[in-house]
Amino acid sequence: MIWLEGLSYLVTILGFPAAIFVIVREERLRRANEVSELHRSLSQEYDGFLRMVMDNADLLLMSRACLPEPVSEEQRERIEIIYRMLLSLFEKAFIILHSDDMDADAQRRWSSWEDDMMEWCSREDFRRLLSKLLDGEDPQFRAYILHLGQRCAEKAAQA
């Protein structure tokens, strides 16, 4: 009987902290998996967006140069719609993945999105439409992407 009582104390002393450790570890793994799944889902959306850009190759959205004038109203409208879709996707990524205190993995994931944003912001026609397209968007995202656009404009002016 004394042995059983001693074992119950031992289980209480060791088992309770071990259970807390396991619960905390599982919760961290669950959160990490959720973030990875969100990132994967956003990446798939971006891949779908790039396929749509490829389907609209006549708009020259993947080239560094803007579409030469004269641009038809239909082409102008398609470009604006595509840019709206892109900004919507970037805003989702910003809201879901960006924070001021990111760990190394989160920073790595965010850097890939920032690279994509910088690539699009390097297009003069995209930068020109930014303020119009950002009406009503998240204020923090708006400030962030406008800052990226300004950095790209400064780089273009120096080149």
Side-chain angles (χ1 to χ4, degrees):
M1 195 67 162
I2 293 174
W3 287 96
L4 289 176
E5 188 174 334
L7 284 175
S8 73
Y9 288 137
L10 185 64
V11 166
T12 301
I13 291 170
L14 297 178
F16 187 66
I20 290 174
F21 172 77
V22 167
I23 290 170
V24 168
R25 191 177 117 242
E26 291 297 319
E27 183 64 21
R28 282 187 186 152
L29 287 173
R30 185 187 64 76
R31 277 192 224 137
N33 286 338
E34 282 179 5
V35 170
S36 292
E37 181 61 29
L38 286 170
H39 179 66
R40 189 182 65 72
S41 175
L42 287 168
S43 295
Q44 285 178 335
E45 279 189 61
Y46 188 65
D47 290 345
F49 171 80
L50 291 177
R51 281 188 203 90
M52 183 190 54
V53 167
M54 192 169 57
D55 291 342
N56 289 278
D58 64 305
L59 300 176
L60 302 177
L61 295 174
M62 293 307 290
S63 68
R64 290 282 174 216
C66 298
L67 193 61
E69 293 293 333
V71 178
S72 73
E73 276 305 308
E74 187 260 341
Q75 287 174 316
R76 196 176 318 278
E77 186 173 345
R78 282 192 296 145
I79 289 170
E80 188 172 321
I81 290 168
I82 288 170
Y83 284 167
R84 281 187 190 281
M85 293 170 69
L86 177 64
L87 279 174
S88 176
L89 180 58
F90 283 163
E91 183 182 28
K92 271 195 269 186
F94 180 84
I95 290 170
I96 292 171
L97 299 174
H98 185 269
S99 73
D100 292 333
D101 57 339
M102 292 184 269
D103 63 18
D105 285 338
Q107 183 61 50
R108 192 178 75 248
R109 282 188 295 269
W110 178 248
S111 291
S112 72
W113 281 98
E114 187 176 59
D115 290 344
D116 292 334
M117 290 178 194
M118 292 287 286
E119 182 178 333
W120 284 98
C121 284
S122 68
R123 290 185 58 88
E124 183 184 339
D125 60 340
F126 182 77
R127 286 193 314 269
R128 212 176 24 243
L129 286 172
L130 261 180
S131 58
K132 175 184 175 185
L133 297 175
L134 288 169
D135 283 343
E137 302 298 337
D138 178 76
Q140 288 179 325
F141 171 70
R142 179 183 171 85
Y144 187 85
I145 195 87
L146 286 172
H147 175 72
L148 290 181
Q150 185 175 356
R151 281 178 35 201
C152 289
E154 289 168 2
K155 280 183 185 178
Q158 291 174 355

